[in-house]
Amino acid sequence: MQKSRTGFTIIELVVVVIVVSILATIVVVSYNGSQARARDARRRTDVANIVKALELYYNDNGSYPTTSGSTAMTINWFSSNDASWSTFNTALVNSNAITSLPVDPLNVPSSGAANTGVSFGTGNYSYALYVNKLNYCGSAPGQMYLLLYRLESEQAQPTFTDGSCASNELGSGYGTAYYRSVK
């Protein structure tokens, strides 16, 4: 008399484990990608709101806010990952340009680029704003700004400009940027 065996062989179990692992990997990668795209969508919305607030501030005051920026920086940078963003927020809220200034969804602190303290290397996610205090790129003080931010899900980081700076391509090397100059 012959006994019948039921169950799975080791090879069948290994195949099932490998297939489940591949499916789990696909789900995790897909989920992480969708999360990054969602954060990028929020960044685009945040930047559009900051730009609108800056333009409202400009319309009311005739210049962009040039209050003191980050104490860690030698020029007037506002960064969403240090106390200078609160100063910038106060300036815009007090002028009724915005109710609350947004911060980057990840808001990873900068690792400190030379001279500015603003770094947009891989993995650094924050918002940074430069408002000229001197006659930079032919603009009078308070008449030009550079808003920096980085997207996660796009390799090519676009730059949006309104104005020109023949002596220095503003935003190059920093990641995504929005530039506005009023002469």
Side-chain angles (χ1 to χ4, degrees):
M1 192 148 87
Q2 213 172 2
K3 292 183 180 180
S4 71
R5 293 185 174 197
T6 60
F8 297 104
T9 66
I10 291 178
I11 292 175
E12 290 172 327
L13 289 174
V14 168
V15 169
V16 169
V17 167
I18 290 172
V19 169
V20 169
S21 298
I22 290 171
L23 291 174
T25 301
I26 291 170
V27 168
V28 168
V29 168
S30 176
Y31 177 75
N32 288 340
S34 65
Q35 291 295 321
R37 286 188 300 277
R39 286 188 297 269
D40 284 350
R42 179 172 163 206
R43 285 182 182 99
R44 286 185 181 96
T45 301
D46 287 351
V47 167
N49 288 335
I50 294 169
V51 167
K52 287 176 188 173
L54 284 166
E55 295 308 320
L56 287 171
Y57 185 96
Y58 184 88
N59 286 338
D60 291 344
N61 299 289
S63 70
Y64 298 110
T66 58
T67 57
S68 61
S70 174
T71 56
M73 303 174 200
T74 57
I75 57 178
N76 195 36
W77 279 100
F78 297 102
S79 179
S80 67
N81 56 38
D82 69 19
S84 66
W85 204 248
S86 177
T87 302
F88 178 43
N89 181 60
T90 301
L92 292 181
V93 169
N94 286 346
S95 70
N96 294 318
I98 198 167
T99 55
S100 179
L101 199 57
V103 297
D104 185 88
L106 293 177
N107 211 29
V108 177
S110 301
S111 60
N115 300 327
T116 65
V118 177
S119 174
F120 280 86
T122 303
N124 291 338
Y125 296 98
S126 63
Y127 301 142
L129 176 78
Y130 166 75
V131 178
N132 69 323
K133 283 188 169 182
L134 306 172
N135 293 333
Y136 186 69
C137 281
S139 294
Q143 300 300 303
M144 181 275 274
Y145 69 84
L146 177 63
L147 179 60
L148 304 176
Y149 60 104
R150 177 170 292 288
L151 300 175
E152 293 175 69
S153 62
E154 294 181 18
Q155 293 298 325
Q157 303 286 319
T159 301
F160 306 98
T161 63
D162 185 2
S164 64
C165 184
S167 64
N168 184 11
E169 177 75 25
L170 290 173
S172 62
Y174 290 107
T176 300
Y178 183 90
Y179 164 59
R180 169 90 164 116
S181 176
V182 179
K183 294 185 181 184

